[in-house]
Amino acid sequence: MKVMLVAAEASGDALGAGLAKALRAQRPDVALIGVGGPKMAAEGIVSPFDIAELSILGWIEGLRAYGRVKARVADTVAFAVRERPDAIVLIDSWGFTIRVAKAIRAVLPDVKLIKYVGPQVWASRPGRAKTLAGAVDHLLALYAFDAPWFEKEGLPTTVVGSQALHVDMSGADPGGFRRARGIAADAPLLLVLPGSRPSEIRLMTPVYEAAVAGLKAERPGLEVAVVAAGTVAEDVAARIAAWPFRVHLVSEADKYSAMKAATVALATSGTVSTELALAGAPMVIGYRFQPLSYAIMKPFFTGKYATLFNHAADAEIARELIQKDATPEGFATEVGRLLDDPTARADQAARQTAALDLMGREGRDPSEIAAEAVLAVTTAGSWV
């Protein structure tokens, strides 16, 4: 059996690596090929090109990168035609993978196409559920609230759970993190997580810098740490070096220790919000798009919340400041409120944990369930 995995961003690369490991554990003779990043490469899946150039968000950014994306879609399809896999798993990255799915369906109509992570139709553009149902054979959804949107369009769906809910933080050492950086055990620590896409770093980092400057002016003893995600680490490090106050730069390796050590977190919307909630860190969430991209996309936003655990709880547990609300003053006010109120921090952390339970925190390893589904679809053609 030959299975091809396709990931176009860092988060998908991590999912692909976990799936690859689980597939080999369940079917040792499976041949795995695909498109991915360093984590999939560590599992023996060598990508025919670098996926870093495909980390794109927003309509305008997408238009600018259209030629590059189109070329990489063609490269991916050519790779599939050459290798002739029995099944292809398309991981996250809606804009890229839906194009790959349609192109492969046209030239390899018999190959099984499986989408791993569906588009967030509960938040925007619900019509994408029908589009996906017409393009692939099966969906591996992360959350139970995803499934009905696709099943009503006739797409068989397996809820596998989110890997973010199963992060192993047993090795995190918040005390050691503080000691290694000379941060007193009782000092307030603000952890800033600016994102993992170049556009997020470019748009959010200056806003966070101004917000933190305001917070430190009122709280001279505030310690600040910034996480530099692997895909944008050099860019983040260069920007943070210019900040006019002391900042502790945090690598991916120390991320979970930093989360557990944090008094409050300020984070760009994404999977990291779930990880922070698992670590028990109360947070404020922010996001900005390029203005023209946001103007184009705004009419398609139908969900009330951007943060998954807010959506699951149907409540704004973590304050969300999006686009025009994502100002230095707004962030400083919301973060300052949490820094100054231990009761508010404890209450928010508890509510975040309860929301994670609604999302399926106690389930099996998602990679194992996903692997079972992929093997079943590949061998039997259907699995519900």
Side-chain angles (χ1 to χ4, degrees), residues 212-356:
V212 174
L215 289 163
K216 283 186 68 65
E218 296 181 357
R219 302 165 184 81
L222 178 65
E223 297 277 2
V224 180
V226 177
V227 174
T231 51
V232 291
E234 291 185 7
D235 188 13
V236 172
R239 291 172 184 270
I240 298 308
W243 285 14
F245 41 80
R246 188 176 76 154
V247 178
H248 305 278
L249 193 64
V250 182
S251 68
E252 288 274 6
D254 291 330
K255 180 174 70 172
Y256 298 138
S257 293
M259 289 179 175
K260 282 186 169 288
T263 308
V264 178
L266 174 56
T268 297
S269 180
T271 305
V272 71
S273 62
T274 301
E275 295 176 327
L276 285 166
L278 283 169
M283 72 197 82
V284 175
I285 299 296
Y287 210 91
R288 278 188 176 183
F289 298 87
Q290 288 283 8
L292 184 54
S293 288
Y294 185 74
I296 294 171
M297 292 188 292
K298 191 175 186 298
F300 299 98
F301 293 151
T302 54
K304 288 193 287 185
Y305 306 111
T307 307
L308 283 168
F309 63 74
N310 282 350
H311 175 74
D314 194 23
E316 193 177 27
I317 298 171
R319 185 76 171 92
E320 297 181 356
L321 300 176
I322 309 298
Q323 205 61 12
K324 65 179 179 61
D325 295 324
T327 64
E329 297 77 16
F331 288 126
T333 296
E334 294 299 329
V335 170
R337 175 181 58 83
L338 290 172
L339 285 170
D340 298 340
D341 189 344
T343 301
R345 294 199 302 270
D347 176 68
Q348 181 170 324
R351 293 176 67 203
Q352 290 172 179
T353 299
L356 295 181

Side-chain angles (χ1 to χ4, degrees), residues 100-314:
V100 171
K102 291 178 177 179
I104 287 177
R105 182 65 86 208
V107 296
L108 296 174
D110 296 327
V111 70
K112 297 300 177 185
L113 294 179
I114 302 163
K115 185 73 173 69
Y116 189 1
V117 186
Q120 293 182 334
V121 294
W122 50 266
S124 68
R125 290 171 283 175
R128 292 179 298 176
K130 185 174 183 178
T131 299
L132 185 62
V136 303
D137 300 295
H138 202 92
L139 169 65
L140 306 178
L142 300 190
Y143 306 104
F145 57 70
D146 287 323
W149 293 87
F150 300 95
E151 291 174 335
K152 72 180 182 181
E153 300 295 344
L155 179 60
T157 300
T158 301
V159 177
V160 302
S162 170
Q163 199 64 53
L165 293 170
H166 296 263
V167 171
D168 181 9
M169 296 192 181
S170 61
D173 182 6
F177 177 87
R178 283 177 172 258
R179 287 191 298 273
R181 290 160 178 80
I183 303 173
D186 59 350
L189 172 61
L190 172 62
L191 181 65
V192 181
L193 302 101
S196 60
R197 294 183 174 100
S199 61
E200 292 170 344
I201 304 306
R202 185 175 67 254
L203 292 170
M204 299 308 301
T205 305
V207 184
Y208 292 154
E209 177 186 357
V212 174
L215 289 163
K216 283 186 68 65
E218 296 181 357
R219 302 165 184 81
L222 178 65
E223 297 277 2
V224 180
V226 177
V227 174
T231 51
V232 291
E234 291 185 7
D235 188 13
V236 172
R239 291 172 184 270
I240 298 308
W243 285 14
F245 41 80
R246 188 176 76 154
V247 178
H248 305 278
L249 193 64
V250 182
S251 68
E252 288 274 6
D254 291 330
K255 180 174 70 172
Y256 298 138
S257 293
M259 289 179 175
K260 282 186 169 288
T263 308
V264 178
L266 174 56
T268 297
S269 180
T271 305
V272 71
S273 62
T274 301
E275 295 176 327
L276 285 166
L278 283 169
M283 72 197 82
V284 175
I285 299 296
Y287 210 91
R288 278 188 176 183
F289 298 87
Q290 288 283 8
L292 184 54
S293 288
Y294 185 74
I296 294 171
M297 292 188 292
K298 191 175 186 298
F300 299 98
F301 293 151
T302 54
K304 288 193 287 185
Y305 306 111
T307 307
L308 283 168
F309 63 74
N310 282 350
H311 175 74
D314 194 23

